Amino acid sequence: MFTAGGVPVTAPKTLTGRMYAAGAALDVATALLTLRAGVIPPAVPVTRPAAGPDLDLVAEARPTAPRTALVLARGHGGFTAALVLTA
Protein backbone atom coordinates (compact mmCIF):
# COMPACT_ATOMS: atom_id res chain seq x y z
CA MET A 1 0.00 0.00 0.00
CA PHE A 2 1.38 3.43 -0.92
CA THR A 3 0.95 5.18 2.41
CA ALA A 4 3.30 6.62 5.01
CA GLY A 5 5.31 3.74 6.41
CA GLY A 6 4.39 1.58 3.42
CA VAL A 7 6.59 1.64 0.32
CA PRO A 8 9.58 4.02 0.36
CA VAL A 9 9.58 6.28 -2.71
CA THR A 10 12.65 8.01 -4.16
CA ALA A 11 13.64 9.67 -7.42
CA PRO A 12 17.37 9.31 -8.22
CA LYS A 13 17.00 11.68 -11.18
CA THR A 14 16.80 14.55 -8.69
CA LEU A 15 20.54 13.96 -8.07
CA THR A 16 21.57 13.84 -11.75
CA GLY A 17 19.01 15.74 -13.80
CA ARG A 18 17.59 14.64 -17.13
CA MET A 19 19.90 12.19 -18.90
CA TYR A 20 17.57 11.32 -21.78
CA ALA A 21 18.27 7.76 -23.01
CA ALA A 22 20.79 7.03 -20.22
CA GLY A 23 18.33 7.84 -17.43
CA ALA A 24 16.65 4.43 -17.31
CA ALA A 25 19.99 2.60 -17.20
CA LEU A 26 21.15 4.85 -14.36
CA ASP A 27 17.92 4.18 -12.46
CA VAL A 28 18.44 0.41 -12.81
CA ALA A 29 22.06 0.71 -11.65
CA THR A 30 20.94 2.82 -8.68
CA ALA A 31 18.27 0.25 -7.76
CA LEU A 32 20.80 -2.60 -7.96
CA LEU A 33 23.26 -0.67 -5.75
CA THR A 34 20.42 0.06 -3.31
CA LEU A 35 19.62 -3.65 -3.06
CA ARG A 36 23.28 -4.52 -2.55
CA ALA A 37 24.23 -1.73 -0.12
CA GLY A 38 20.98 -1.56 1.80
CA VAL A 39 20.68 2.24 1.56
CA ILE A 40 17.87 4.02 -0.29
CA PRO A 41 19.14 7.26 -1.89
CA PRO A 42 17.15 10.43 -1.20
CA ALA A 43 15.02 12.46 -3.58
CA VAL A 44 16.79 15.81 -3.15
CA PRO A 45 16.15 18.72 -2.73
CA VAL A 46 12.61 17.61 -1.87
CA THR A 47 12.00 18.11 1.84
CA ARG A 48 8.23 18.61 1.79
CA PRO A 49 6.16 17.00 -0.97
CA ALA A 50 3.13 18.74 -2.45
CA ALA A 51 -0.26 18.05 -0.96
CA GLY A 52 -1.87 14.88 -2.23
CA PRO A 53 -1.17 11.21 -1.68
CA ASP A 54 0.54 10.43 1.62
CA LEU A 55 3.76 8.83 0.30
CA ASP A 56 6.78 7.63 2.24
CA LEU A 57 9.12 9.99 0.36
CA VAL A 58 12.80 9.36 1.16
CA ALA A 59 14.24 12.84 1.88
CA GLU A 60 17.50 11.58 3.47
CA ALA A 61 19.55 8.46 2.70
CA ARG A 62 17.82 5.63 4.55
CA PRO A 63 19.54 2.45 5.72
CA THR A 64 17.24 -0.50 5.16
CA ALA A 65 17.22 -4.09 3.97
CA PRO A 66 15.26 -3.90 0.71
CA ARG A 67 14.50 -7.12 -1.13
CA THR A 68 12.63 -5.63 -4.08
CA ALA A 69 12.91 -2.46 -6.18
CA LEU A 70 10.53 -1.12 -8.82
CA VAL A 71 12.09 1.06 -11.53
CA LEU A 72 9.76 3.14 -13.70
CA ALA A 73 10.82 4.86 -16.93
CA ARG A 74 8.89 7.23 -19.16
CA GLY A 75 9.96 8.87 -22.37
CA HIS A 76 8.93 10.87 -25.38
CA GLY A 77 6.21 9.49 -27.61
CA GLY A 78 4.44 7.64 -24.80
CA PHE A 79 7.28 5.22 -23.95
CA THR A 80 6.64 3.65 -20.56
CA ALA A 81 8.42 0.72 -18.91
CA ALA A 82 8.55 -0.92 -15.49
CA LEU A 83 11.21 -3.28 -14.16
CA VAL A 84 11.03 -5.22 -10.89
CA LEU A 85 14.37 -6.22 -9.36
CA THR A 86 14.73 -8.64 -6.45
CA ALA A 87 17.66 -9.41 -4.21
Side-chain angles (χ1 to χ4, degrees), residues 8 34-40 62-69 86-87:
T34 295
L35 291 173
R36 185 176 78 182
V39 176
I40 301 172
R62 184 185 301 176
T64 185
R67 293 177 294 152
T68 306
T86 59

Side-chain angles (χ1 to χ4, degrees), residues 1-2 9 12 15-16 19 26 32 35 47 57 62 76 85:
M1 182 175 231
F2 292 105
V9 176
L15 295 167
T16 61
M19 298 184 69
L26 179 64
L32 289 170
L35 291 173
T47 56
L57 183 67
R62 184 185 301 176
H76 295 289
L85 302 167

Side-chain angles (χ1 to χ4, degrees), residues 33-86:
L33 289 170
T34 295
L35 291 173
R36 185 176 78 182
V39 176
I40 301 172
V44 294
V46 178
T47 56
R48 189 183 61 168
D54 192 17
L55 297 176
D56 182 12
L57 183 67
V58 179
E60 296 180 11
R62 184 185 301 176
T64 185
R67 293 177 294 152
T68 306
L70 172 63
V71 179
L72 301 173
R74 297 176 306 152
H76 295 289
F79 164 81
T80 303
L83 177 66
V84 176
L85 302 167
T86 59

